[in-house]
Amino acid sequence: MTASPATGRRAPDLAVTFAGIELKNPVIAASGTFGYGIEFEDVVHLNKIGGFVVKGLSKEPMAGNPPPRLYETAAGMLNAIGLQNIGARAFIDEKLPRLREIKDTVVIANVFGYTREDYELTIEILNEGEGIAAYELNVSCPNTAAGGMQFGSDPRALDEVVTTARHYTKRPLIVKLSPNVTSIAQMAYVAQEAGADAVSLVNTFVAMAIDSETRKPRIANVTAGLSGPAIKPIALRMVYDAAKAVKIPVIGMGGISTAADIVEFMLAGATAVQIGTASYWDPRATEKIVDELQDWCAEHRIERLASLTGGLVIE
Ligand SMILES: Cc1cc2nc3c(=O)[nH]c(=O)nc-3n(C[C@H](O)[C@H](O)[C@H](O)COP(=O)(O)O)c2cc1C
């Protein structure tokens, strides 16, 4: 902690810890909105943010969905990118060596698959790579072996996929929950019992938009994931519900674009947060929000940001 020469007052401590990982601040760039990190090197001082989650990785490269894949909605965004990525092997060979050069920022690998074996094989490949602080399992994918229902919408499928991942890695495991469920508390609990070290939520909400003139869907895939400020109040409620249901740390996200938003998620029970869609509107959003958070804490005389977690006052 450093003292300001002007005021002699100590700068607020923004550090947070989850799953044995220490972050200098709770701001993590969300998967799919920050490339593999390197692409943002020229616009964001990567060592200023707490960490970033790379694009979802699968065992083989994937081309993604046909366009249009993005559509802006009222206070939000629809996307159906289709999890386009270079594959786990190419990530290790082509991206990770560069990422290891970035000091003082945590790199988290997001993993997805369409069968339990996909998760297993992708994790086995990634285990060979040095410099990955944790895995974040994206379970908002259709389980092709179970008729296409999302892993993250079925407690048994979720249990199986988390148990499998736990078996194949000793690295910290963050399970990223789907919001497209009846009880987020139940899913968070299932993830915890299957061996997750933390849960992160929320992923996008299944949604759609139609062009009333052409009568066609705005997104070629017809349905898409809704993100951005439009989902914030629902995401916040889900973080609150999940945090009450588990003992492991909760990483909150969904529509965060200001320091006050981060404080809301922490009061609801989040230990750290992720910023996704805000980086589409302003590529420097993650870095700017760290400065804003520092100022917010100073103005509110908060010495240790982590002390806010779970601090919601209900009278
Ligand atoms: C264009 C786009 C691509 C995304 N790709 C992924 C992905 O590959 N894996 C994943 O777990 N989440 C993915 N997400 C979800 C985000 O990481 C985040 O959970 C969601 O957008 C909610 O946060 P936000 O409102 O701050 O964007 C994606 C979101 C967007 C907008």
Side-chain angles (χ1 to χ4, degrees):
M1 232 176 327
T2 49
S4 154
T7 61
R9 202 176 288 145
R10 287 198 301 179
D13 177 6
L14 302 187
V16 299
T17 305
F18 62 83
I21 306 166
E22 192 169 329
L23 268 66
K24 61 185 172 303
N25 64 61
V27 176
I28 303 169
S31 181
T33 64
F34 211 69
Y36 300 101
I38 301 158
E39 298 85 342
F40 276 73
E41 224 170 11
D42 294 336
V43 270
V44 174
H45 294 98
L46 294 177
N47 62 359
K48 203 159 165 197
I49 59 177
F52 55 86
V53 188
V54 302
K55 242 175 202 273
L57 296 163
S58 48
K59 67 180 198 308
E60 305 289 349
M62 280 186 52
N65 289 329
R69 312 196 288 185
L70 291 177
Y71 180 70
E72 191 172 338
T73 62
M77 190 169 91
L78 287 175
N79 96 82
I81 304 293
L83 297 166
Q84 178 180 3
N85 79 101
I86 58 171
R89 174 65 58 199
F91 172 74
I92 294 219
D93 295 342
E94 296 164 24
K95 307 287 180 185
L96 208 50
R98 289 281 311 284
L99 291 176
R100 275 198 293 272
E101 291 167 16
I102 304 162
K103 300 293 174 219
D104 210 17
T105 299
V106 166
V107 177
I108 298 171
N110 183 283
V111 174
F112 73 93
Y114 296 98
T115 63
R116 224 169 57 169
E117 290 71 36
D118 286 348
Y119 284 91
E120 172 190 325
L121 294 170
T122 309
I123 286 174
E124 278 191 321
I125 297 170
L126 294 174
N127 280 342
E128 294 169 28
E130 287 287 317
I132 298 170
Y135 296 130
E136 181 180 64
L137 285 193
N138 175 4
V139 295
S140 299
C141 306
N143 177 352
T144 48
M149 180 192 252
Q150 277 188 13
F151 282 100
S153 301
D154 174 29
R156 275 177 59 186
L158 181 67
D159 175 61
E160 277 182 16
V161 79
V162 178
T163 303
T164 301
R166 181 71 293 162
H167 183 74
Y168 284 93
T169 188
K170 290 193 169 60
R171 282 187 168 146
L173 199 58
I174 304 162
V175 176
K176 182 166 180 181
L177 299 174
S178 166
N180 304 302
V181 297
T182 311
S183 168
I184 197 77
Q186 181 195 16
M187 301 310 265
Y189 185 77
V190 167
Q192 171 183 273
E193 294 305 295
D197 298 298
V199 287
S200 60
L201 63 145
V202 294
N203 212 315
T204 55
F205 288 81
V206 179
M208 66 189 284
I210 297 173
D211 181 336
S212 55
E213 298 300 324
T214 63
R215 304 184 180 191
K216 290 182 179 164
R218 296 281 191 184
I219 298 274
N221 189 56
V222 184
T223 60
L226 182 65
S227 61
I231 68 169
K232 200 194 92 181
I234 318 177
L236 190 64
R237 187 272 296 170
M238 289 189 149
V239 164
Y240 175 67
D241 281 350
K244 280 193 299 182
V246 294
K247 294 192 181 71
I248 53 177
V250 173
I251 302 166
M253 77 195 95
I256 295 178
S257 64
T258 66
D261 290 342
I262 295 179
V263 172
E264 281 189 57
F265 274 81
M266 292 186 75
L267 292 173
T271 295
V273 294
Q274 294 186 18
I275 318 278
T277 304
S279 291
Y280 271 78
W281 289 319
D282 177 358
R284 293 194 56 228
T286 47
E287 182 178 351
K288 285 183 181 168
I289 215 166
V290 173
D291 288 334
E292 227 188 278
L293 196 56
Q294 190 87 32
D295 293 346
W296 193 95
C297 287
E299 274 165 29
H300 293 77
R301 297 182 180 272
I302 304 290
E303 283 179 17
R304 207 173 66 86
L305 180 67
S307 67
L308 295 184
T309 294
L312 177 68
V313 178
I314 297 178
E315 296 186 334

mmCIF file of all heavy atoms in Angstrom, residues 28-71:
data_model
loop_
_atom_site.group_PDB
_atom_site.id
_atom_site.type_symbol
_atom_site.label_atom_id
_atom_site.label_comp_id
_atom_site.label_asym_id
_atom_site.label_seq_id
_atom_site.Cartn_x
_atom_site.Cartn_y
_atom_site.Cartn_z
ATOM 1 N N ILE A 28 -11.679 -8.196 -13.894
ATOM 2 C CA ILE A 28 -11.235 -9.243 -14.821
ATOM 3 C C ILE A 28 -11.998 -9.041 -16.131
ATOM 4 O O ILE A 28 -13.227 -8.869 -16.107
ATOM 5 C CB ILE A 28 -11.571 -10.651 -14.253
ATOM 6 C CG1 ILE A 28 -10.946 -10.848 -12.864
ATOM 7 C CG2 ILE A 28 -11.125 -11.750 -15.203
ATOM 8 C CD1 ILE A 28 -11.453 -12.098 -12.130
ATOM 9 N N ALA A 29 -11.291 -9.049 -17.248
ATOM 10 C CA ALA A 29 -11.975 -8.950 -18.546
ATOM 11 C C ALA A 29 -12.633 -10.300 -18.846
ATOM 12 O O ALA A 29 -12.018 -11.351 -18.653
ATOM 13 C CB ALA A 29 -10.982 -8.577 -19.638
ATOM 14 N N ALA A 30 -13.903 -10.260 -19.291
ATOM 15 C CA ALA A 30 -14.694 -11.487 -19.457
ATOM 16 C C ALA A 30 -14.384 -12.203 -20.771
ATOM 17 O O ALA A 30 -14.048 -11.580 -21.784
ATOM 18 C CB ALA A 30 -16.182 -11.151 -19.391
ATOM 19 N N SER A 31 -14.553 -13.508 -20.733
ATOM 20 C CA SER A 31 -14.281 -14.347 -21.901
ATOM 21 C C SER A 31 -15.115 -13.938 -23.115
ATOM 22 O O SER A 31 -16.303 -13.648 -23.007
ATOM 23 C CB SER A 31 -14.583 -15.803 -21.554
ATOM 24 O OG SER A 31 -14.311 -16.635 -22.650
ATOM 25 N N GLY A 32 -14.477 -13.943 -24.271
ATOM 26 C CA GLY A 32 -15.163 -13.664 -25.533
ATOM 27 C C GLY A 32 -15.243 -12.193 -25.870
ATOM 28 O O GLY A 32 -15.676 -11.830 -26.959
ATOM 29 N N THR A 33 -14.816 -11.354 -24.940
ATOM 30 C CA THR A 33 -14.910 -9.906 -25.173
ATOM 31 C C THR A 33 -13.529 -9.262 -25.130
ATOM 32 O O THR A 33 -13.413 -8.047 -25.223
ATOM 33 C CB THR A 33 -15.797 -9.231 -24.108
ATOM 34 O OG1 THR A 33 -15.173 -9.383 -22.830
ATOM 35 C CG2 THR A 33 -17.183 -9.845 -24.072
ATOM 36 N N PHE A 34 -12.484 -10.074 -25.010
ATOM 37 C CA PHE A 34 -11.132 -9.559 -24.809
ATOM 38 C C PHE A 34 -10.122 -10.379 -25.611
ATOM 39 O O PHE A 34 -8.939 -10.380 -25.308
ATOM 40 C CB PHE A 34 -10.818 -9.626 -23.308
ATOM 41 C CG PHE A 34 -9.886 -8.545 -22.807
ATOM 42 C CD1 PHE A 34 -10.296 -7.227 -22.749
ATOM 43 C CD2 PHE A 34 -8.599 -8.854 -22.377
ATOM 44 C CE1 PHE A 34 -9.441 -6.228 -22.281
ATOM 45 C CE2 PHE A 34 -7.740 -7.870 -21.905
ATOM 46 C CZ PHE A 34 -8.168 -6.548 -21.857
ATOM 47 N N GLY A 35 -10.625 -11.075 -26.631
ATOM 48 C CA GLY A 35 -9.758 -11.912 -27.470
ATOM 49 C C GLY A 35 -8.920 -12.865 -26.636
ATOM 50 O O GLY A 35 -9.412 -13.474 -25.673
ATOM 51 N N TYR A 36 -7.636 -12.984 -27.009
ATOM 52 C CA TYR A 36 -6.698 -13.769 -26.193
ATOM 53 C C TYR A 36 -5.841 -12.828 -25.351
ATOM 54 O O TYR A 36 -4.732 -13.171 -24.950
ATOM 55 C CB TYR A 36 -5.820 -14.652 -27.096
ATOM 56 C CG TYR A 36 -6.637 -15.621 -27.920
ATOM 57 C CD1 TYR A 36 -6.910 -15.360 -29.261
ATOM 58 C CD2 TYR A 36 -7.182 -16.765 -27.345
ATOM 59 C CE1 TYR A 36 -7.694 -16.226 -30.012
ATOM 60 C CE2 TYR A 36 -7.971 -17.631 -28.080
ATOM 61 C CZ TYR A 36 -8.224 -17.356 -29.418
ATOM 62 O OH TYR A 36 -9.000 -18.206 -30.156
ATOM 63 N N GLY A 37 -6.356 -11.629 -25.123
ATOM 64 C CA GLY A 37 -5.634 -10.652 -24.304
ATOM 65 C C GLY A 37 -4.653 -9.822 -25.126
ATOM 66 O O GLY A 37 -4.670 -8.596 -25.097
ATOM 67 N N ILE A 38 -3.846 -10.508 -25.907
ATOM 68 C CA ILE A 38 -2.766 -9.851 -26.670
ATOM 69 C C ILE A 38 -3.325 -8.774 -27.601
ATOM 70 O O ILE A 38 -2.735 -7.718 -27.786
ATOM 71 C CB ILE A 38 -1.998 -10.901 -27.505
ATOM 72 C CG1 ILE A 38 -1.419 -11.957 -26.577
ATOM 73 C CG2 ILE A 38 -0.890 -10.263 -28.310
ATOM 74 C CD1 ILE A 38 -1.127 -13.267 -27.261
ATOM 75 N N GLU A 39 -4.502 -9.052 -28.173
ATOM 76 C CA GLU A 39 -5.120 -8.113 -29.118
ATOM 77 C C GLU A 39 -5.425 -6.766 -28.460
ATOM 78 O O GLU A 39 -5.613 -5.770 -29.144
ATOM 79 C CB GLU A 39 -6.428 -8.693 -29.671
ATOM 80 C CG GLU A 39 -6.276 -9.989 -30.448
ATOM 81 C CD GLU A 39 -6.268 -11.226 -29.569
ATOM 82 O OE1 GLU A 39 -6.036 -11.108 -28.346
ATOM 83 O OE2 GLU A 39 -6.481 -12.320 -30.106
ATOM 84 N N PHE A 40 -5.498 -6.749 -27.131
ATOM 85 C CA PHE A 40 -5.838 -5.518 -26.424
ATOM 86 C C PHE A 40 -4.598 -4.777 -25.903
ATOM 87 O O PHE A 40 -4.707 -3.719 -25.302
ATOM 88 C CB PHE A 40 -6.805 -5.829 -25.258
ATOM 89 C CG PHE A 40 -8.246 -5.903 -25.691
ATOM 90 C CD1 PHE A 40 -8.707 -6.986 -26.422
ATOM 91 C CD2 PHE A 40 -9.136 -4.870 -25.405
ATOM 92 C CE1 PHE A 40 -10.031 -7.060 -26.839
ATOM 93 C CE2 PHE A 40 -10.453 -4.927 -25.816
ATOM 94 C CZ PHE A 40 -10.899 -6.018 -26.542
ATOM 95 N N GLU A 41 -3.432 -5.362 -26.168
ATOM 96 C CA GLU A 41 -2.178 -4.827 -25.647
ATOM 97 C C GLU A 41 -1.942 -3.356 -25.999
ATOM 98 O O GLU A 41 -1.412 -2.598 -25.198
ATOM 99 C CB GLU A 41 -1.025 -5.645 -26.236
ATOM 100 C CG GLU A 41 0.018 -6.019 -25.253
ATOM 101 C CD GLU A 41 0.978 -7.040 -25.873
ATOM 102 O OE1 GLU A 41 0.931 -7.262 -27.104
ATOM 103 O OE2 GLU A 41 1.764 -7.594 -25.123
ATOM 104 N N ASP A 42 -2.364 -2.957 -27.206
ATOM 105 C CA ASP A 42 -2.114 -1.581 -27.642
ATOM 106 C C ASP A 42 -3.119 -0.586 -27.077
ATOM 107 O O ASP A 42 -2.884 0.614 -27.132
ATOM 108 C CB ASP A 42 -2.144 -1.503 -29.183
ATOM 109 C CG ASP A 42 -1.004 -2.285 -29.796
ATOM 110 O OD1 ASP A 42 0.003 -2.478 -29.087
ATOM 111 O OD2 ASP A 42 -1.137 -2.711 -30.958
ATOM 112 N N VAL A 43 -4.244 -1.057 -26.583
ATOM 113 C CA VAL A 43 -5.252 -0.126 -26.065
ATOM 114 C C VAL A 43 -5.390 -0.136 -24.545
ATOM 115 O O VAL A 43 -5.765 0.858 -23.939
ATOM 116 C CB VAL A 43 -6.663 -0.400 -26.676
ATOM 117 C CG1 VAL A 43 -6.891 0.388 -27.922
ATOM 118 C CG2 VAL A 43 -6.934 -1.859 -26.884
ATOM 119 N N VAL A 44 -5.096 -1.279 -23.943
ATOM 120 C CA VAL A 44 -5.239 -1.398 -22.485
ATOM 121 C C VAL A 44 -3.874 -1.745 -21.886
ATOM 122 O O VAL A 44 -3.157 -2.575 -22.449
ATOM 123 C CB VAL A 44 -6.254 -2.524 -22.133
ATOM 124 C CG1 VAL A 44 -6.316 -2.765 -20.637
ATOM 125 C CG2 VAL A 44 -7.640 -2.209 -22.682
ATOM 126 N N HIS A 45 -3.509 -1.090 -20.783
ATOM 127 C CA HIS A 45 -2.311 -1.525 -20.049
ATOM 128 C C HIS A 45 -2.712 -2.807 -19.323
ATOM 129 O O HIS A 45 -3.359 -2.757 -18.272
ATOM 130 C CB HIS A 45 -1.863 -0.453 -19.049
ATOM 131 C CG HIS A 45 -1.398 0.798 -19.719
ATOM 132 N ND1 HIS A 45 -2.197 1.893 -19.874
ATOM 133 C CD2 HIS A 45 -0.219 1.099 -20.296
ATOM 134 C CE1 HIS A 45 -1.519 2.830 -20.525
ATOM 135 N NE2 HIS A 45 -0.320 2.375 -20.789
ATOM 136 N N LEU A 46 -2.354 -3.929 -19.904
ATOM 137 C CA LEU A 46 -2.867 -5.208 -19.385
ATOM 138 C C LEU A 46 -2.470 -5.445 -17.930
ATOM 139 O O LEU A 46 -3.192 -6.093 -17.175
ATOM 140 C CB LEU A 46 -2.384 -6.368 -20.254
ATOM 141 C CG LEU A 46 -2.938 -6.391 -21.689
ATOM 142 C CD1 LEU A 46 -2.321 -7.539 -22.478
ATOM 143 C CD2 LEU A 46 -4.453 -6.521 -21.690
ATOM 144 N N ASN A 47 -1.321 -4.879 -17.522
ATOM 145 C CA ASN A 47 -0.891 -5.121 -16.138
ATOM 146 C C ASN A 47 -1.647 -4.246 -15.136
ATOM 147 O O ASN A 47 -1.418 -4.319 -13.943
ATOM 148 C CB ASN A 47 0.622 -4.946 -15.989
ATOM 149 C CG ASN A 47 1.064 -3.548 -16.318
ATOM 150 O OD1 ASN A 47 0.242 -2.705 -16.686
ATOM 151 N ND2 ASN A 47 2.349 -3.292 -16.202
ATOM 152 N N LYS A 48 -2.576 -3.429 -15.642
ATOM 153 C CA LYS A 48 -3.343 -2.583 -14.732
ATOM 154 C C LYS A 48 -4.612 -3.285 -14.211
ATOM 155 O O LYS A 48 -5.112 -2.994 -13.132
ATOM 156 C CB LYS A 48 -3.735 -1.296 -15.457
ATOM 157 C CG LYS A 48 -4.020 -0.200 -14.507
ATOM 158 C CD LYS A 48 -3.920 1.145 -15.099
ATOM 159 C CE LYS A 48 -4.582 2.101 -14.124
ATOM 160 N NZ LYS A 48 -4.914 3.366 -14.704
ATOM 161 N N ILE A 49 -5.115 -4.222 -15.021
ATOM 162 C CA ILE A 49 -6.332 -4.926 -14.595
ATOM 163 C C ILE A 49 -5.945 -6.166 -13.784
ATOM 164 O O ILE A 49 -4.813 -6.649 -13.865
ATOM 165 C CB ILE A 49 -7.239 -5.290 -15.798
ATOM 166 C CG1 ILE A 49 -6.513 -6.178 -16.822
ATOM 167 C CG2 ILE A 49 -7.729 -4.018 -16.476
ATOM 168 C CD1 ILE A 49 -7.401 -6.625 -17.987
ATOM 169 N N GLY A 50 -6.907 -6.656 -13.002
ATOM 170 C CA GLY A 50 -6.617 -7.806 -12.147
ATOM 171 C C GLY A 50 -6.276 -9.042 -12.962
ATOM 172 O O GLY A 50 -5.383 -9.814 -12.607
ATOM 173 N N GLY A 51 -7.007 -9.231 -14.054
ATOM 174 C CA GLY A 51 -6.772 -10.406 -14.888
ATOM 175 C C GLY A 51 -7.673 -10.391 -16.091
ATOM 176 O O GLY A 51 -8.476 -9.474 -16.266
ATOM 177 N N PHE A 52 -7.530 -11.401 -16.930
ATOM 178 C CA PHE A 52 -8.478 -11.553 -18.035
ATOM 179 C C PHE A 52 -8.705 -13.021 -18.341
ATOM 180 O O PHE A 52 -7.862 -13.870 -18.064
ATOM 181 C CB PHE A 52 -8.051 -10.767 -19.287
ATOM 182 C CG PHE A 52 -6.672 -11.076 -19.796
ATOM 183 C CD1 PHE A 52 -6.458 -12.137 -20.672
ATOM 184 C CD2 PHE A 52 -5.596 -10.298 -19.417
ATOM 185 C CE1 PHE A 52 -5.188 -12.411 -21.150
ATOM 186 C CE2 PHE A 52 -4.315 -10.560 -19.899
ATOM 187 C CZ PHE A 52 -4.114 -11.631 -20.768
ATOM 188 N N VAL A 53 -9.900 -13.282 -18.867
ATOM 189 C CA VAL A 53 -10.256 -14.640 -19.264
ATOM 190 C C VAL A 53 -10.198 -14.664 -20.784
ATOM 191 O O VAL A 53 -10.825 -13.823 -21.442
ATOM 192 C CB VAL A 53 -11.675 -15.020 -18.801
ATOM 193 C CG1 VAL A 53 -11.938 -16.502 -19.062
ATOM 194 C CG2 VAL A 53 -11.893 -14.693 -17.328
ATOM 195 N N VAL A 54 -9.446 -15.606 -21.335
ATOM 196 C CA VAL A 54 -9.335 -15.650 -22.795
ATOM 197 C C VAL A 54 -10.611 -16.217 -23.402
ATOM 198 O O VAL A 54 -11.442 -16.818 -22.713
ATOM 199 C CB VAL A 54 -8.095 -16.455 -23.270
ATOM 200 C CG1 VAL A 54 -6.818 -15.864 -22.688
ATOM 201 C CG2 VAL A 54 -8.223 -17.924 -22.924
ATOM 202 N N LYS A 55 -10.773 -15.995 -24.690
ATOM 203 C CA LYS A 55 -11.856 -16.577 -25.472
ATOM 204 C C LYS A 55 -12.043 -18.054 -25.141
ATOM 205 O O LYS A 55 -11.042 -18.745 -24.909
ATOM 206 C CB LYS A 55 -11.395 -16.567 -26.923
ATOM 207 C CG LYS A 55 -12.160 -15.781 -27.910
ATOM 208 C CD LYS A 55 -11.349 -15.897 -29.206
ATOM 209 C CE LYS A 55 -11.642 -14.784 -30.155
ATOM 210 N NZ LYS A 55 -12.769 -15.032 -31.019
ATOM 211 N N GLY A 56 -13.249 -18.559 -25.220
ATOM 212 C CA GLY A 56 -13.503 -19.969 -24.962
ATOM 213 C C GLY A 56 -12.660 -20.858 -25.867
ATOM 214 O O GLY A 56 -12.569 -20.613 -27.069
ATOM 215 N N LEU A 57 -12.014 -21.876 -25.272
ATOM 216 C CA LEU A 57 -11.150 -22.778 -26.039
ATOM 217 C C LEU A 57 -11.751 -24.173 -26.107
ATOM 218 O O LEU A 57 -12.293 -24.681 -25.116
ATOM 219 C CB LEU A 57 -9.771 -22.869 -25.369
ATOM 220 C CG LEU A 57 -8.965 -21.563 -25.324
ATOM 221 C CD1 LEU A 57 -7.841 -21.659 -24.300
ATOM 222 C CD2 LEU A 57 -8.424 -21.223 -26.706
ATOM 223 N N SER A 58 -11.640 -24.788 -27.283
ATOM 224 C CA SER A 58 -12.102 -26.162 -27.471
ATOM 225 C C SER A 58 -10.931 -27.017 -27.938
ATOM 226 O O SER A 58 -9.871 -26.486 -28.264
ATOM 227 C CB SER A 58 -13.234 -26.197 -28.500
ATOM 228 O OG SER A 58 -12.880 -25.450 -29.650
ATOM 229 N N LYS A 59 -11.144 -28.331 -28.003
ATOM 230 C CA LYS A 59 -9.999 -29.188 -28.336
ATOM 231 C C LYS A 59 -9.557 -28.994 -29.793
ATOM 232 O O LYS A 59 -8.386 -29.070 -30.102
ATOM 233 C CB LYS A 59 -10.278 -30.651 -27.999
ATOM 234 C CG LYS A 59 -11.341 -31.348 -28.811
ATOM 235 C CD LYS A 59 -11.478 -32.784 -28.318
ATOM 236 C CE LYS A 59 -12.183 -33.705 -29.307
ATOM 237 N NZ LYS A 59 -13.472 -33.250 -29.813
ATOM 238 N N GLU A 60 -10.522 -28.703 -30.679
ATOM 239 C CA GLU A 60 -10.200 -28.413 -32.085
ATOM 240 C C GLU A 60 -10.538 -26.954 -32.363
ATOM 241 O O GLU A 60 -11.400 -26.388 -31.696
ATOM 242 C CB GLU A 60 -11.071 -29.283 -33.018
ATOM 243 C CG GLU A 60 -10.991 -30.774 -32.777
ATOM 244 C CD GLU A 60 -9.662 -31.380 -33.195
ATOM 245 O OE1 GLU A 60 -8.874 -30.675 -33.861
ATOM 246 O OE2 GLU A 60 -9.407 -32.540 -32.825
ATOM 247 N N PRO A 61 -9.928 -26.335 -33.412
ATOM 248 C CA PRO A 61 -10.330 -24.970 -33.783
ATOM 249 C C PRO A 61 -11.793 -24.957 -34.242
ATOM 250 O O PRO A 61 -12.288 -25.966 -34.747
ATOM 251 C CB PRO A 61 -9.410 -24.641 -34.968
ATOM 252 C CG PRO A 61 -8.379 -25.697 -35.028
ATOM 253 C CD PRO A 61 -8.878 -26.888 -34.281
ATOM 254 N N MET A 62 -12.473 -23.836 -34.050
ATOM 255 C CA MET A 62 -13.867 -23.733 -34.506
ATOM 256 C C MET A 62 -14.078 -22.426 -35.266
ATOM 257 O O MET A 62 -13.551 -21.383 -34.881
ATOM 258 C CB MET A 62 -14.813 -23.782 -33.299
ATOM 259 C CG MET A 62 -15.039 -25.204 -32.813
ATOM 260 S SD MET A 62 -16.270 -25.297 -31.513
ATOM 261 C CE MET A 62 -17.617 -24.429 -32.254
ATOM 262 N N ALA A 63 -14.877 -22.510 -36.341
ATOM 263 C CA ALA A 63 -15.087 -21.339 -37.215
ATOM 264 C C ALA A 63 -16.180 -20.407 -36.685
ATOM 265 O O ALA A 63 -16.240 -19.241 -37.060
ATOM 266 C CB ALA A 63 -15.450 -21.812 -38.610
ATOM 267 N N GLY A 64 -17.056 -20.898 -35.852
ATOM 268 C CA GLY A 64 -18.142 -20.057 -35.342
ATOM 269 C C GLY A 64 -19.333 -20.016 -36.286
ATOM 270 O O GLY A 64 -19.378 -20.737 -37.292
ATOM 271 N N ASN A 65 -20.315 -19.175 -35.954
ATOM 272 C CA ASN A 65 -21.567 -19.098 -36.717
ATOM 273 C C ASN A 65 -21.449 -18.132 -37.896
ATOM 274 O O ASN A 65 -20.618 -17.230 -37.886
ATOM 275 C CB ASN A 65 -22.691 -18.602 -35.798
ATOM 276 C CG ASN A 65 -23.091 -19.640 -34.771
ATOM 277 O OD1 ASN A 65 -23.007 -20.841 -35.019
ATOM 278 N ND2 ASN A 65 -23.519 -19.187 -33.603
ATOM 279 N N PRO A 66 -22.354 -18.266 -38.892
ATOM 280 C CA PRO A 66 -22.360 -17.286 -39.991
ATOM 281 C C PRO A 66 -22.894 -15.931 -39.513
ATOM 282 O O PRO A 66 -23.643 -15.879 -38.534
ATOM 283 C CB PRO A 66 -23.321 -17.914 -41.011
ATOM 284 C CG PRO A 66 -24.162 -18.873 -40.235
ATOM 285 C CD PRO A 66 -23.346 -19.330 -39.070
ATOM 286 N N PRO A 67 -22.537 -14.823 -40.200
ATOM 287 C CA PRO A 67 -23.058 -13.506 -39.816
ATOM 288 C C PRO A 67 -24.502 -13.326 -40.293
ATOM 289 O O PRO A 67 -24.928 -14.068 -41.193
ATOM 290 C CB PRO A 67 -22.125 -12.541 -40.536
ATOM 291 C CG PRO A 67 -21.571 -13.314 -41.692
ATOM 292 C CD PRO A 67 -21.583 -14.758 -41.298
ATOM 293 N N PRO A 68 -25.270 -12.352 -39.766
ATOM 294 C CA PRO A 68 -24.896 -11.466 -38.661
ATOM 295 C C PRO A 68 -24.863 -12.185 -37.321
ATOM 296 O O PRO A 68 -25.725 -13.009 -37.029
ATOM 297 C CB PRO A 68 -25.985 -10.379 -38.688
ATOM 298 C CG PRO A 68 -27.135 -10.963 -39.451
ATOM 299 C CD PRO A 68 -26.596 -12.022 -40.346
ATOM 300 N N ARG A 69 -23.849 -11.820 -36.510
ATOM 301 C CA ARG A 69 -23.640 -12.506 -35.222
ATOM 302 C C ARG A 69 -23.776 -11.567 -34.038
ATOM 303 O O ARG A 69 -23.754 -12.009 -32.899
ATOM 304 C CB ARG A 69 -22.251 -13.146 -35.191
ATOM 305 C CG ARG A 69 -21.920 -13.945 -36.428
ATOM 306 C CD ARG A 69 -20.760 -14.847 -36.242
ATOM 307 N NE ARG A 69 -19.473 -14.167 -36.156
ATOM 308 C CZ ARG A 69 -18.304 -14.803 -36.089
ATOM 309 N NH1 ARG A 69 -18.273 -16.131 -36.068
ATOM 310 N NH2 ARG A 69 -17.178 -14.148 -36.004
ATOM 311 N N LEU A 70 -23.852 -10.258 -34.315
ATOM 312 C CA LEU A 70 -23.987 -9.269 -33.234
ATOM 313 C C LEU A 70 -25.133 -8.323 -33.562
ATOM 314 O O LEU A 70 -25.335 -7.971 -34.725
ATOM 315 C CB LEU A 70 -22.712 -8.433 -33.100
ATOM 316 C CG LEU A 70 -21.436 -9.078 -32.582
ATOM 317 C CD1 LEU A 70 -20.298 -8.068 -32.609
ATOM 318 C CD2 LEU A 70 -21.616 -9.630 -31.165
ATOM 319 N N TYR A 71 -25.882 -7.904 -32.557
ATOM 320 C CA TYR A 71 -26.943 -6.923 -32.774
ATOM 321 C C TYR A 71 -27.136 -6.129 -31.485
ATOM 322 O O TYR A 71 -27.278 -6.712 -30.410
ATOM 323 C CB TYR A 71 -28.253 -7.629 -33.172
ATOM 324 C CG TYR A 71 -29.387 -6.679 -33.402
ATOM 325 C CD1 TYR A 71 -29.397 -5.836 -34.511
ATOM 326 C CD2 TYR A 71 -30.446 -6.603 -32.491
ATOM 327 C CE1 TYR A 71 -30.427 -4.938 -34.717
ATOM 328 C CE2 TYR A 71 -31.487 -5.713 -32.688
ATOM 329 C CZ TYR A 71 -31.473 -4.884 -33.805
ATOM 330 O OH TYR A 71 -32.494 -3.991 -34.001
#
